Amino acid sequence: MKKNNFSVLMSVYINDEASIFYEAVDSVLNNSIKPSEFIIVIDGPIRNDLRDVIKYFSEDPNNNIKILELHRNYGLGRALNKGLKKINNEFVFRADADDFNHRNRFETQIKYLIDGYDIVGSFINEVDKNKKFIAKREVPTSEDSIKRFIKRRSPFNHMTVGYRLSSVINSGLYPENFDKREDYALWAVMISKGARAMNVDDVLVNATTGKEMYKRRGGLKYAVGEFRFQKFLVKIGIKNHIEAVFDFFLRFIAFIIPSFIRGFIYLKWLRK
């Protein structure tokens, strides 16, 4: 197969920032190898400055951009599923509208997909909107370590993942009933069905986050969602009931503690 026979899937919505979105799209199109198909899902109404970015890049036919516009905001999971149904290549790379892909990202990862892996991710640098470094998130690299890690945390940085479309379809696409956990849920189903998985031992994406993000990940809504998600992991055979109960109570404590303490825990123990 040709090296550029792959698709990139990105979703954009009204709260994305135009300047960061521009850089995210540019980092896809100016990678060392260029996708033969770049699908941008517009998830509901968006501002004109975001439309201007899309228009600027899509006017060049060499960019191979296809636009899928949704009449309302469906949320990331459903938006991605609708985009996946429009893809024509077996190899698909996820890209976020607020993240910057390193120039060698696709070239580095696609060789592992060609070699037979179903999911390939990498490390990320988390940066703020001014590109100031916040933390590095390393993830397990081998199949065995990923299978152990997925019991308690997501073993992939979702914005770095490339996967086989056939494996995703076989797993039922992104589960749409787990807000903020759609990607984790998909990886869990894929691995439970025998998907081969790995992470590249390198940073291939700069992800725009912020210290406030860690603080926001709390409250009763997150606790309820975590309870449902732990039940899901047990149902698909990723973990047993005892592991699920233990992990739920650990997370429940994290959700109800003051936000500044939660932010400290994320940066001190869950990041580098």
Coordinates of all heavy atoms in Angstrom, one line a residue, residues 69-121:
E69 N -21.0 18.2 8.0 CA -21.7 19.1 8.9 C -22.9 18.6 9.5 O -23.8 18.1 8.8 CB -22.0 20.4 8.2 CG -22.5 21.5 9.1 CD -22.3 22.9 8.5 OE1 -21.9 23.0 7.3 OE2 -22.6 23.9 9.2
L70 N -22.9 18.6 10.9 CA -24.1 18.1 11.6 C -25.0 19.2 12.0 O -24.5 20.3 12.4 CB -23.6 17.3 12.8 CG -22.6 16.2 12.6 CD1 -22.2 15.5 13.9 CD2 -23.1 15.2 11.6
H71 N -26.3 19.1 11.9 CA -27.2 20.2 12.2 C -27.3 20.6 13.6 O -27.7 21.7 14.0 CB -28.6 19.8 11.7 CG -29.3 18.7 12.5 ND1 -29.0 17.4 12.3 CD2 -30.3 18.8 13.4 CE1 -29.8 16.7 13.2 NE2 -30.5 17.6 13.8
R72 N -26.8 19.7 14.6 CA -26.8 20.1 16.0 C -25.6 19.5 16.6 O -24.9 18.6 16.0 CB -28.1 19.7 16.7 CG -28.3 18.2 16.8 CD -29.6 17.9 17.5 NE -29.9 16.5 17.7 CZ -29.5 15.7 18.6 NH1 -28.7 16.2 19.6 NH2 -29.8 14.4 18.7
N73 N -25.3 19.9 17.8 CA -24.1 19.4 18.6 C -24.5 18.0 19.2 O -25.3 17.9 20.1 CB -23.7 20.4 19.7 CG -22.5 19.8 20.5 OD1 -22.7 19.5 21.6 ND2 -21.4 19.8 19.9
Y74 N -23.9 17.0 18.7 CA -24.1 15.6 19.1 C -23.2 15.2 20.2 O -23.5 14.2 20.9 CB -24.0 14.6 18.0 CG -25.2 14.6 17.0 CD1 -25.2 15.4 15.9 CD2 -26.3 13.8 17.3 CE1 -26.3 15.4 15.0 CE2 -27.4 13.8 16.4 CZ -27.4 14.6 15.3 OH -28.5 14.6 14.4
G75 N -22.1 15.8 20.4 CA -21.1 15.4 21.3 C -20.0 14.6 20.6 O -20.2 14.1 19.5
L76 N -18.8 14.5 21.2 CA -17.7 13.9 20.5 C -17.9 12.5 20.0 O -17.6 12.2 18.8 CB -16.4 14.0 21.4 CG -15.1 13.5 20.7 CD1 -14.8 14.4 19.5 CD2 -14.0 13.6 21.7
G77 N -18.4 11.6 20.8 CA -18.5 10.2 20.5 C -19.4 10.0 19.2 O -19.0 9.3 18.3
R78 N -20.6 10.6 19.2 CA -21.5 10.5 18.1 C -21.0 11.2 16.9 O -21.1 10.7 15.8 CB -22.9 11.0 18.5 CG -23.6 10.2 19.5 CD -25.0 10.7 19.8 NE -25.9 10.4 18.7 CZ -27.2 10.8 18.6 NH1 -27.7 11.5 19.6 NH2 -27.9 10.5 17.5
A79 N -20.3 12.3 17.1 CA -19.8 13.0 15.9 C -18.7 12.2 15.2 O -18.6 12.1 14.0 CB -19.2 14.4 16.4
L80 N -17.8 11.6 16.0 CA -16.8 10.7 15.5 C -17.4 9.5 14.8 O -16.9 9.1 13.7 CB -15.8 10.3 16.6 CG -15.0 11.4 17.2 CD1 -14.1 10.8 18.3 CD2 -14.1 12.1 16.2
N81 N -18.4 8.9 15.3 CA -19.0 7.8 14.7 C -19.6 8.1 13.3 O -19.5 7.3 12.4 CB -20.1 7.2 15.6 CG -19.5 6.3 16.7 OD1 -18.4 5.9 16.7 ND2 -20.3 6.1 17.8
K82 N -20.2 9.3 13.3 CA -20.7 9.7 12.0 C -19.6 9.9 11.0 O -19.8 9.6 9.8 CB -21.6 11.0 12.2 CG -22.9 10.7 12.9 CD -23.7 12.0 13.1 CE -25.0 11.8 13.9 NZ -25.9 10.9 13.2
G83 N -18.5 10.5 11.4 CA -17.4 10.7 10.6 C -16.8 9.4 10.1 O -16.4 9.2 8.9
L84 N -16.7 8.4 11.0 CA -16.1 7.1 10.6 C -16.9 6.4 9.5 O -16.3 5.7 8.7 CB -16.1 6.2 11.9 CG -15.0 6.4 12.9 CD1 -15.2 5.6 14.2 CD2 -13.6 6.1 12.3
K85 N -18.2 6.6 9.5 CA -19.0 6.0 8.4 C -18.7 6.6 7.0 O -19.2 6.0 6.0 CB -20.5 6.2 8.8 CG -20.8 5.3 10.0 CD -22.3 5.6 10.5 CE -22.6 4.8 11.7 NZ -24.0 5.1 12.2
K86 N -18.0 7.7 7.0 CA -17.7 8.4 5.7 C -16.3 8.0 5.2 O -15.9 8.5 4.1 CB -17.8 9.9 5.8 CG -19.2 10.3 6.2 CD -20.3 10.0 5.2 CE -21.6 10.6 5.6 NZ -22.7 10.3 4.5
I87 N -15.5 7.3 6.0 CA -14.1 7.1 5.7 C -13.9 5.9 4.7 O -14.6 4.9 4.8 CB -13.3 6.8 7.0 CG1 -13.1 8.1 7.8 CG2 -12.0 6.1 6.8 CD1 -12.4 8.0 9.1
N88 N -13.0 6.1 3.8 CA -12.7 5.1 2.8 C -11.4 4.3 2.9 O -11.1 3.5 2.1 CB -12.7 5.9 1.4 CG -14.0 6.5 1.1 OD1 -15.0 5.8 1.0 ND2 -14.0 7.8 0.9
N89 N -10.6 4.6 3.9 CA -9.4 3.9 4.1 C -9.4 3.0 5.4 O -10.2 3.3 6.3 CB -8.2 4.9 4.3 CG -7.9 5.7 3.0 OD1 -7.8 5.1 2.0 ND2 -7.7 7.0 3.1
E90 N -8.6 2.0 5.4 CA -8.5 1.1 6.5 C -7.8 1.7 7.7 O -8.2 1.5 8.9 CB -7.8 -0.2 6.1 CG -7.5 -1.1 7.2 CD -8.7 -1.8 7.9 OE1 -9.8 -1.4 7.7 OE2 -8.5 -2.8 8.7
F91 N -6.8 2.5 7.5 CA -6.1 3.1 8.5 C -6.6 4.6 8.8 O -6.7 5.4 7.9 CB -4.6 3.2 8.2 CG -3.9 1.8 8.0 CD1 -2.8 1.7 7.2 CD2 -4.5 0.7 8.6 CE1 -2.3 0.5 7.0 CE2 -3.9 -0.5 8.4 CZ -2.8 -0.7 7.6
V92 N -6.9 4.8 10.1 CA -7.5 6.1 10.5 C -6.7 6.7 11.6 O -6.4 6.0 12.6 CB -9.0 5.9 10.9 CG1 -9.6 7.3 11.3 CG2 -9.8 5.2 9.8
F93 N -6.4 8.0 11.6 CA -5.7 8.7 12.6 C -6.7 9.7 13.2 O -7.3 10.5 12.5 CB -4.4 9.4 12.2 CG -3.3 8.4 11.9 CD1 -3.1 7.9 10.6 CD2 -2.4 8.1 12.9 CE1 -2.1 7.0 10.3 CE2 -1.4 7.2 12.6 CZ -1.2 6.7 11.4
R94 N -6.8 9.7 14.6 CA -7.5 10.7 15.2 C -6.7 12.0 15.4 O -5.5 11.9 15.7 CB -8.0 10.2 16.6 CG -9.3 9.4 16.6 CD -10.5 10.3 16.5 NE -10.7 11.1 17.7 CZ -10.6 12.4 17.8 NH1 -10.3 13.1 16.8 NH2 -10.8 12.9 19.0
A95 N -7.3 13.1 15.3 CA -6.6 14.4 15.5 C -7.6 15.3 16.2 O -8.8 15.3 15.8 CB -6.1 15.0 14.3
D96 N -7.2 16.1 17.2 CA -8.1 17.0 17.8 C -8.0 18.4 17.3 O -6.9 18.8 16.8 CB -7.9 17.0 19.3 CG -8.7 15.9 20.0 OD1 -9.5 15.2 19.4 OD2 -8.5 15.7 21.3
A97 N -9.0 19.2 17.4 CA -9.0 20.6 16.9 C -8.2 21.6 17.7 O -8.1 22.7 17.4 CB -10.5 21.0 16.8
D98 N -7.7 21.1 18.9 CA -6.9 22.0 19.7 C -5.5 21.4 20.0 O -4.9 21.8 21.0 CB -7.6 22.4 21.0 CG -8.1 21.1 21.8 OD1 -7.8 20.0 21.3 OD2 -8.6 21.3 22.9
D99 N -5.1 20.5 19.2 CA -3.8 19.8 19.5 C -2.8 19.9 18.2 O -3.3 20.0 17.1 CB -3.9 18.3 19.8 CG -4.8 18.2 21.1 OD1 -4.7 19.1 22.0 OD2 -5.5 17.1 21.2
F100 N -1.5 19.9 18.5 CA -0.6 20.1 17.5 C 0.2 18.8 17.2 O 0.8 18.2 18.1 CB 0.4 21.2 17.8 CG 1.5 21.4 16.8 CD1 1.2 22.2 15.7 CD2 2.8 20.8 16.9 CE1 2.2 22.4 14.7 CE2 3.8 21.1 16.0 CZ 3.5 21.8 14.9
N101 N 0.1 18.2 16.0 CA 0.7 17.0 15.7 C 2.2 17.2 15.2 O 2.5 18.0 14.4 CB 0.0 16.3 14.5 CG -1.4 16.0 14.8 OD1 -1.7 15.0 15.5 ND2 -2.4 16.9 14.4
H102 N 3.1 16.5 15.8 CA 4.5 16.6 15.4 C 4.7 16.2 14.0 O 3.9 15.3 13.5 CB 5.4 15.8 16.4 CG 5.5 16.3 17.8 ND1 6.5 16.1 18.6 CD2 4.7 17.2 18.5 CE1 6.4 16.7 19.8 NE2 5.2 17.4 19.7
R103 N 5.6 16.8 13.3 CA 5.8 16.6 11.9 C 6.0 15.1 11.5 O 5.5 14.7 10.4 CB 6.9 17.4 11.4 CG 7.1 17.3 9.9 CD 8.1 18.4 9.3 NE 8.4 18.1 7.9 CZ 7.6 18.2 6.9 NH1 6.4 18.7 7.1 NH2 8.1 18.0 5.7
N104 N 6.5 14.3 12.3 CA 6.8 12.9 11.9 C 5.7 11.9 12.5 O 5.9 10.7 12.5 CB 8.1 12.5 12.4 CG 8.2 12.5 14.0 OD1 7.5 13.2 14.6 ND2 9.1 11.6 14.5
R105 N 4.6 12.5 13.0 CA 3.6 11.6 13.7 C 3.1 10.5 12.8 O 3.2 9.3 13.2 CB 2.4 12.4 14.2 CG 1.4 11.5 14.9 CD 0.1 12.1 15.1 NE -0.9 11.1 15.4 CZ -2.2 11.3 15.5 NH1 -2.7 12.5 15.4 NH2 -3.0 10.2 15.8
F106 N 2.5 10.8 11.7 CA 1.9 9.7 10.8 C 2.9 8.7 10.3 O 2.7 7.5 10.3 CB 1.1 10.4 9.7 CG 0.1 11.4 10.2 CD1 -0.1 12.6 9.5 CD2 -0.7 11.1 11.3 CE1 -1.0 13.5 10.0 CE2 -1.7 12.0 11.8 CZ -1.8 13.2 11.1
E107 N 4.1 9.2 9.9 CA 5.1 8.4 9.3 C 5.6 7.4 10.4 O 5.9 6.3 10.1 CB 6.2 9.2 8.8 CG 7.3 8.5 8.1 CD 8.3 9.4 7.4 OE1 8.4 10.6 7.8 OE2 9.1 8.9 6.5
T108 N 5.7 7.9 11.6 CA 6.2 7.0 12.7 C 5.2 5.9 13.1 O 5.6 4.8 13.3 CB 6.4 7.9 14.0 OG1 7.4 8.9 13.7 CG2 6.9 7.0 15.2
Q109 N 3.9 6.3 13.1 CA 2.9 5.3 13.6 C 2.4 4.4 12.5 O 2.1 3.2 12.8 CB 1.7 6.1 14.2 CG 2.0 6.8 15.5 CD 0.8 7.5 16.0 OE1 0.4 8.6 15.4 NE2 0.2 7.0 17.0
I110 N 2.3 4.8 11.2 CA 1.7 4.0 10.2 C 2.4 2.7 10.0 O 1.8 1.6 9.6 CB 1.5 4.8 8.9 CG1 0.4 4.1 8.1 CG2 2.8 4.9 8.2 CD1 -0.1 4.9 6.9
K111 N 3.7 2.6 10.2 CA 4.4 1.4 9.9 C 4.0 0.3 10.9 O 4.0 -0.9 10.5 CB 5.9 1.6 10.0 CG 6.4 2.2 11.4 CD 7.9 2.5 11.3 CE 8.4 3.1 12.6 NZ 9.8 3.6 12.5
Y112 N 3.6 0.7 12.1 CA 3.1 -0.3 13.0 C 1.7 -0.9 12.6 O 1.4 -2.0 12.9 CB 3.1 0.2 14.4 CG 4.4 0.6 14.9 CD1 4.8 1.9 15.0 CD2 5.4 -0.4 15.3 CE1 6.1 2.3 15.5 CE2 6.6 0.0 15.8 CZ 7.0 1.3 15.8 OH 8.3 1.6 16.2
L113 N 0.9 0.0 12.1 CA -0.4 -0.4 11.6 C -0.2 -1.4 10.4 O -0.9 -2.4 10.3 CB -1.3 0.8 11.2 CG -1.8 1.7 12.3 CD1 -2.4 2.9 11.7 CD2 -2.7 1.0 13.2
I114 N 0.7 -1.1 9.5 CA 1.0 -1.9 8.4 C 1.5 -3.3 8.9 O 1.2 -4.3 8.3 CB 2.0 -1.3 7.5 CG1 1.4 0.0 6.8 CG2 2.5 -2.2 6.4 CD1 2.4 0.8 6.0
D115 N 2.2 -3.3 10.0 CA 2.8 -4.5 10.5 C 1.8 -5.4 11.2 O 2.1 -6.5 11.7 CB 3.9 -4.2 11.5 CG 5.2 -3.8 10.8 OD1 5.3 -4.0 9.6 OD2 6.1 -3.2 11.4
G116 N 0.5 -4.9 11.4 CA -0.5 -5.7 12.0 C -1.2 -5.2 13.3 O -2.1 -5.9 13.8
Y117 N -0.7 -4.1 13.8 CA -1.3 -3.6 15.1 C -2.7 -3.0 14.7 O -2.9 -2.4 13.6 CB -0.4 -2.6 15.7 CG 0.7 -3.2 16.5 CD1 2.0 -3.4 15.9 CD2 0.5 -3.7 17.8 CE1 3.0 -4.1 16.6 CE2 1.5 -4.3 18.5 CZ 2.8 -4.5 17.9 OH 3.8 -5.1 18.6
D118 N -3.6 -3.0 15.7 CA -4.9 -2.5 15.5 C -5.1 -1.1 16.1 O -5.9 -0.3 15.7 CB -6.0 -3.4 16.1 CG -6.0 -4.7 15.5 OD1 -6.5 -4.9 14.4 OD2 -5.6 -5.7 16.2
I119 N -4.3 -0.8 17.2 CA -4.3 0.5 17.8 C -2.8 0.9 18.1 O -2.1 0.1 18.7 CB -5.0 0.5 19.2 CG1 -6.3 -0.3 19.1 CG2 -5.3 1.9 19.7 CD1 -6.9 -0.5 20.5
V120 N -2.5 2.1 17.7 CA -1.1 2.6 17.9 C -1.2 4.1 18.4 O -1.8 4.9 17.8 CB -0.3 2.6 16.6 CG1 1.1 3.2 16.9 CG2 -0.2 1.2 16.1
G121 N -0.7 4.3 19.6 CA -0.7 5.6 20.2 C 0.7 6.1 20.5 O 1.7 5.6 20.0

